[in-house]
């Protein structure tokens, strides 16, 4: 038997073996059949993979249903890419898969091998095609165990070194950023609950303490509730050891306990009804007190960054910004700001440099940011309202979200933050601190709540439905591009914070409920940073 005839026999042709010389057409016909087998295998493999990815994504990201049902129920938007994936895979798979199966049962091991090779290539091709339609998924590197109750809310977050610390209503817990391993936990004393926490010492703009300055201490306020937040506990962030606890003799009685505790240099500072009280950060020994600038005013908020400590005292139709030496409690400087109404509201956006936002609500709502020099001079004052996004008037969003602080970032000489959502649309906007000039405004695909900084870039969570995306924005130009999409249930809309720590992007949620872990780390894309 000639080699050509033998090859035909192996392929499994059903016609008799030729008795004369093999015609030139026969090898071409065999080759065409092998090519057809390869194409059928590729199409079948691609169809199978698109079906698997499509239905798997529907189950994982939308709970198995999307769009509008026959009963008129609305299940929300369908995950990206599943519609073309499922439709195309059905149209291709309907003829290709049965044909591929039939070829596998026909004689000829060469043809069978070609079908299998084609199917393997089709699986890879289908996976790649779905990735293009669906976008890059952000794998979850680790997730902390869920809370036993929704009442155990996040009160604050600290980042230190390669650890993230979550202050929960009943305990403080530290996680290794790389693995999620619990490094230590510390219970809130007795049956009280945490109601306040000092600001994140690892936040953007926080300076590195000088030699000999106390570092690595966090403060937790606790009591029987937010209205009775009358105790404070100091925590060693490295070991989780309770350094000291103390009852506040004259606790601050404001509605919001945020901004009532700070650690600056060697001092732990507590906002009380009578003013500021500074104690030794590691021993709790009282060092100094500082009353408000006048009897008509009262301190209502403080913030710290390294050895910079600043507080704001509210008065009638004015307020004072006061810089304090944390070692002695003496005022380094104070600056009075006049307001047109006594219904103004303010928020310290940064303690170093000192940046304060104040606004007057109402039909002609205004929002003004003021920047102060190290000597106390107001170097810039600019409006962050009157912005336009998609034809809608809006302003910079400065409202804190639970224990996660204001959504704005002060870094690299810029104030960067999201605008308040207008008809579900947001934008990220940057102002230069030196003169208040707007550098750029970039509309985002959907509403934005979480913003953080690393290096010269900004990270934000865009709340696109149904899968939120992680976006990277250049602080210099405002250029925005997507890094990938979250799996369902990783973060809570508007009730979460984003923290780049130890090479991970870590999400902390208000609650670790049935659907969301309290803390989850994403594996950053290779292109990031």
């Amino acid at each position: 038997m000639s080699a050509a005839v033998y090859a035909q026999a192996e392929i499994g042709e059903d016609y008799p073996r030729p008795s004369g010389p093999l015609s030139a057409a026969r090898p071409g016909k065999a080759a065409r059949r092998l090519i057809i087998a390869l194409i059928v295998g590729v199409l079948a493999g691609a169809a199978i993979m698109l079906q698997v990815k499509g239905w798997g994504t529907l189950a994982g990201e939308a709970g198995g249903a999307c769009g509008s049902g026959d009963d008129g129920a609305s299940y929300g938007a369908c995950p990206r890419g599943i519609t073309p994936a499922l439709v195309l895979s059905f149209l291709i798979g309907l003829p290709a898969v049965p044909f591929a199966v039939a070829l596998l049962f026909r004689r000829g091991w060469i043809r069978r091998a070609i079908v299998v090779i084609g199917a393997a290539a089709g699986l890879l091709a289908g996976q790649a095609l779905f990735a293009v339609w669906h976008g890059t998924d952000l794998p979850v590197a680790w997730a902390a165990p869920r809370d036993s109750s929704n009442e155990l809310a996040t009160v604050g977050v600290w980042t230190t070194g390669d650890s993230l610390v979550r202050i929960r209503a009943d305990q403080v817990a530290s996680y290794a950023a790389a693995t999620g391993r619990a490094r230590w936990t510390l219970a809130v004393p007795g049956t009280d609950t945490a109601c306040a926490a000092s600001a994140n010492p690892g936040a953007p703009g926080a300076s590195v303490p000088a030699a000999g300055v106390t570092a690595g201490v966090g403060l937790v306020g606790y009591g029987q509730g937010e209205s009775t937040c009358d105790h404070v506990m100091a925590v060693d962030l490295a070991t989780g050891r309770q350094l000291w606890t103390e009852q506040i003799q004259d606790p601050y009685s404001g509605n919001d306990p945020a901004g009532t505790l700070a650690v600056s240099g060697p001092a732990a500072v507590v906002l009380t009804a009578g003013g500021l009280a500074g104690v030794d950060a590691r021993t709790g020994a009282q060092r100094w007190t500082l009353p408000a600038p006048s009897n008509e005013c009262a301190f209502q908020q403080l913030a710290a960054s390294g050895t910079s400590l600043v507080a704001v005292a509210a008065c009638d139709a004015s307020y004072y910004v006061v810089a304090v030496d944390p070692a002695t409690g003496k005022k380094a400087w104070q600056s009075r700001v006049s307001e047109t109404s006594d219904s103004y509201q303010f928020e310290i956006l940064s303690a170093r440099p000192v940046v304060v936002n104040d606004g007057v609500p109402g039909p002609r709502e205004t929002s003004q940011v003021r920047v102060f020099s190290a000597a106390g001079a107001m170097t810039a004052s600019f409006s962050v309202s009157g912005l336009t996004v998609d034809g809608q008037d809006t302003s910079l969003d400065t409202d804190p979200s639970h224990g996660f602080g204001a959504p704005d970032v002060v870094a690299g000489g810029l104030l960067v933050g999201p605008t308040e959502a207008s008809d579900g649309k947001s934008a990220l906007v940057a102002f230069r601190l030196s003169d208040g000039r707007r550098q750029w405004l970039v509309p985002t695909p959907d509403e934005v709540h979480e913003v953080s900084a690393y290096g010269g870039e900004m990270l934000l969570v865009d709340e696109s439905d149904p899968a939120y995306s992680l976006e990277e924005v250049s602080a210099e130009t405002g250029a925005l591009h997507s890094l990938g999409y979250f799996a369902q249930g990783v973060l809570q809309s508007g009730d979460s914070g984003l923290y780049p720590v130890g090479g991970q992007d870590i999400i902390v949620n208000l609650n670790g409920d049935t659907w969301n872990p309290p803390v989850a780390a994403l594996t950053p894309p290779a292109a990031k940073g």
Side-chain angles (χ1 to χ4, degrees):
M1 179 186 298
S2 68
V5 175
Y6 179 78
Q8 285 183 337
E10 283 296 322
I11 293 170
E13 303 295 353
D14 296 329
Y15 44 78
R17 206 173 62 191
S19 58
L22 186 66
S23 71
R26 290 291 175 82
K29 187 176 182 180
R32 285 195 300 272
R33 294 192 177 190
L34 291 180
I35 292 172
I36 291 173
L38 179 64
I39 293 173
V40 169
V42 169
L43 293 177
I48 292 171
M49 177 55 70
L50 290 175
Q51 283 281 315
V52 170
K53 298 294 288 186
W55 292 113
T57 301
L58 181 64
E61 294 185 3
C66 66
S68 298
D70 295 335
D71 57 356
S74 177
Y75 300 102
C78 291
R80 305 165 316 282
I82 69 163
T83 299
L86 293 177
V87 171
L88 184 62
S89 61
F90 178 78
L91 295 176
I92 293 175
L94 192 62
V97 172
F99 195 8
V101 172
L103 289 176
L104 288 175
F105 283 95
R106 293 191 67 180
R107 288 185 302 155
W109 64 268
I110 294 180
R111 179 167 47 203
R112 293 173 181 170
I114 291 295
V115 172
V116 171
I117 292 171
L123 292 173
L124 297 176
Q127 186 173 28
L129 186 59
F130 186 82
V132 172
W133 286 335
H134 180 66
T136 303
D137 284 321
L138 296 172
V140 177
W142 55 265
R146 287 177 170 80
D147 298 332
S148 58
S149 169
N150 282 349
E151 299 299 320
L152 302 176
T154 298
V155 177
V157 178
W158 300 321
T159 58
T160 173
D162 61 350
S163 298
L164 180 136
V165 182
R166 180 196 182 207
I167 303 99
R168 196 173 74 175
D170 64 334
Q171 70 173 17
V172 186
S174 174
Y175 302 91
T179 64
R181 178 177 61 87
R183 286 184 163 158
W184 53 260
T185 59
L186 175 65
V188 174
T191 59
D192 288 345
T193 58
C195 46
S198 55
N200 177 20
S207 60
V208 178
V213 173
T214 301
V217 176
L219 302 181
V220 178
Y222 64 96
Q224 290 299 308
E226 290 188 357
S227 61
T228 54
C229 200
D230 56 357
H231 288 74
V232 62
M233 172 177 67
V235 182
D236 186 311
L237 299 184
T239 64
R241 183 169 61 93
Q242 176 184 294
L243 297 174
W244 51 268
T245 62
E246 191 68 48
Q247 183 175 4
I248 304 172
Q249 299 301 320
D250 192 14
Y252 174 69
S253 57
N255 294 328
D256 186 1
T260 59
L261 302 172
V263 177
S264 181
V269 186
V270 180
L271 175 62
T272 71
L276 305 182
V279 303
D280 186 283
R282 300 202 73 86
T283 67
Q286 179 108 15
R287 298 301 185 197
W288 52 262
T289 59
L290 179 67
S294 74
N295 293 333
E296 292 76 29
C297 307
F299 281 118
Q300 291 189 358
Q301 195 174 115
L302 74 156
S305 177
T307 56
S308 296
L309 175 64
V310 63
V312 175
C315 318
D316 291 336
S318 67
Y319 64 88
Y320 285 91
V321 181
V322 182
V324 183
D325 181 344
T328 65
K330 295 181 178 180
K331 288 186 286 188
W333 54 262
Q334 70 179 28
S335 180
R336 182 175 178 270
V337 179
S338 297
E339 287 289 350
T340 59
S341 167
D342 58 4
S343 62
Y344 65 90
Q345 301 169 343
F346 57 80
E347 183 74 25
I348 302 175
L349 301 180
S350 171
R352 184 173 181 176
V354 177
V355 182
V356 179
N357 174 79
D358 65 65
V360 178
R364 301 187 65 181
E365 179 179 356
T366 63
S367 187
Q368 195 82 5
V369 167
R370 309 179 195 273
V371 184
F372 299 86
S373 71
M378 188 185 299
T379 58
S381 178
F382 52 94
S383 174
V384 291
S385 55
L387 305 174
T388 301
V389 178
D390 287 344
Q392 300 291 325
D393 291 336
T394 185
S395 61
L396 185 72
D397 185 2
T398 59
D399 292 334
S401 173
H402 301 286
F404 307 112
D408 309 296
V409 172
V410 174
L414 296 175
L415 167 62
V416 181
T419 62
E420 295 177 346
S422 176
D423 295 336
K425 297 293 184 181
S426 290
L428 201 69
V429 61
F431 296 91
R432 192 164 60 193
L433 292 175
S434 60
D435 56 11
R437 182 176 179 182
R438 195 177 80 188
Q439 298 300 286
W440 43 261
L441 185 148
V442 180
T444 55
D446 211 293
E447 189 172 352
V448 172
H449 285 289
E450 295 81 35
V451 180
S452 62
Y454 73 96
E457 309 296 326
M458 301 292 163
L459 290 179
L460 62 89
V461 175
D462 182 86
E463 300 193 350
S464 300
D465 189 23
Y468 300 159
S469 65
L470 183 66
E471 309 285 333
E472 183 182 62
V473 181
S474 168
E476 181 179 356
T477 65
L480 178 148
H481 72 275
S482 177
L483 297 175
Y485 297 89
F486 293 86
Q488 186 189 40
V490 172
L491 81 166
Q492 295 168 344
S493 173
D495 291 331
S496 57
L498 173 65
Y499 303 88
V501 187
Q504 303 277 32
D505 295 326
I506 300 181
I507 291 290
V508 181
N509 290 314
L510 179 65
N511 307 106
D513 57 18
T514 304
W515 303 105
N516 308 97
V519 185
L522 308 172
T523 301
K528 173 181 166 292

